């Protein structure tokens, strides 16, 4: 089933912060954040076992337990099994994601993209999420940022294992759709070129944002649109860099990135629009994009995201960005303001 037929609206909820991403989020604040999303009308929630070693799924499951299950869509990920066994969190090798979830649960995380692990991962997620079904399953992080030179070997394990399992689950109605959930364009390119697997779409984090979209625009978006698949855009604010934060891609932003942010902000300020509106509306202007899922760690962020989606942005703003060379000339831009 096409992602656009499954997803209820253009704005979803990225649950990574619920796994204590970057900070120890109090239980009440995590619960209030999910409640704020629900009260705002958001009905698509994306999660993963990796987010705090199951913590984000547990928190989201508790927060949504009293909501009618037919009224919302859940996506989660496969590729990581969370064990009952405890490990030294500081000794985890998480590639570029280093200390992102050091405040999460200390349960041992095992990377496993086999067929058997895909089934086990879905079963475990169902328990943590307190639900009887998952709508969309993404194969998580089979890319360079996590596995370095080993990423192709991990991709091959998924090709022989998880991809087949998820095709079968989708055909049997256990899930409605599957694809990759990655922070890099290359694994999506690779999967689109394979003849066997039949993915329904992709969650692409950080690679189709105002600050970084060239490669996705050239290599992935046209193929996805051509095949009638869809992209869910994660990280539309580039780890917060676009909205004035210090990080880009889980690490301190470089001077070049900070300069680009300043140049975009100068134009945004001149037109009286918010950087969040620029980021969200840019991503959604591409016809391949089915939804965008900013991560929210505080209840107040939800209202900001909704306001950004609804904000009137003059077409002159987009023209100015293009004329200044701040967006790719081929990038689709919103035409109404």
């Amino acid at each position: 089933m096409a992602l656009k037929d499954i997803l209820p609206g253009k704005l979803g909820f990225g649950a990574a912060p619920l796994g204590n991403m970057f900070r120890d989020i109090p239980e009440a604040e995590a619960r209030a954040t999910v409640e704020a999303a629900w009260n705002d009308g958001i009905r698509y929630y994306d999660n993963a076992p990796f987010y705090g070693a199951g913590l984000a799924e547990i928190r989201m499951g508790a927060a949504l337990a009293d909501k009618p299950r037919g009224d919302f869509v859940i996506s989660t990920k496969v590729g990581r099994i969370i064990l009952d066994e405890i490990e030294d969190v500081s000794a985890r090798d998480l590639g570029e994601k280093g200390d992102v979830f050091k405040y999460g649960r200390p349960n041992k995380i095992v990377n496993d993209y086999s067929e058997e692990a895909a089934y086990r991962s879905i079963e475990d997620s169902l328990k943590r999420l307190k639900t009887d079904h998952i709508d969309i399953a993404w194969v998580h992080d089979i890319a360079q940022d996590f596995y370095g030179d080993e990423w192709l070997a991990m991709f091959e394990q998924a090709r022989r294992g998880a991809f087949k399992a998820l095709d079968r689950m989708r055909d049997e109605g256990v899930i409605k759709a599957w694809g990759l959930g990655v922070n890099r364009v290359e694994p999506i390119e690779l999967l689109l070129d394979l003849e066997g697997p039949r993915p329904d779409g992709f969650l692409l984090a950080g690679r189709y944002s105002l600050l970084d979209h060239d490669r996705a625009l050239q290599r992935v978006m046209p193929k996805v649109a051509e095949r009638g698949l869809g992209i869910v855009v994660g990280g539309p604010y580039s780890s917060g860099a676009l909205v004035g934060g210090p990080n880009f891609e889980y690490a301190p932003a470089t001077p070049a990135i900070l300069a680009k942010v300043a140049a975009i902000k100068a134009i945004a300020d001149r037109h009286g629009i918010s950087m969040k509106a620029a980021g969200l509306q840019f991503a959604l202007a591409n016809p391949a994009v089915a939804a965008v899922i900013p991560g929210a760690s505080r209840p107040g962020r939800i209202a900001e995201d909704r306001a950004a989606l609804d904000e009137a942005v003059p077409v002159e703003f987009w023209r100015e960005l293009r004329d200044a060379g701040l967006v790719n000339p081929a990038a689709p831009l919103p035409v109404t303001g």
Side-chain angles (χ1 to χ4, degrees), residues 97 141 143 145 181-185 203-207 249-250:
K97 293 189 178 174
D141 280 339
D145 59 321
V182 289
N183 298 279
R184 291 291 182 270
V185 170
L203 167 52
L204 180 59
R207 298 282 76 77
E249 279 296 284
Y250 308 109

Side-chain angles (χ1 to χ4, degrees), residues 118-185:
Y119 279 100
R120 177 174 170 184
S121 184
I122 294 290
E123 281 176 25
D124 290 350
S125 287
L126 289 171
K127 290 173 192 160
R128 287 189 292 264
L129 289 163
K130 289 184 162 58
T131 188
D132 61 355
H133 70 281
I134 283 157
D135 301 281
I136 305 166
W138 308 117
V139 182
H140 204 188
D141 280 339
I142 36 173
Q144 311 91 304
D145 59 321
F146 200 90
Y147 294 109
D149 291 342
E150 295 297 309
W151 85 271
L152 285 168
M154 302 307 282
F155 186 96
E156 179 61 12
Q157 186 188 44
R159 186 186 71 79
R160 295 180 177 200
F163 296 175
K164 290 181 178 176
L166 294 170
D167 258 337
R168 195 177 307 123
M169 283 188 226
R170 193 259 329 278
D171 292 348
E172 291 171 355
V174 176
I175 57 175
K176 293 176 184 169
W178 74 274
L180 304 184
V182 289
N183 298 279
R184 291 291 182 270
V185 170

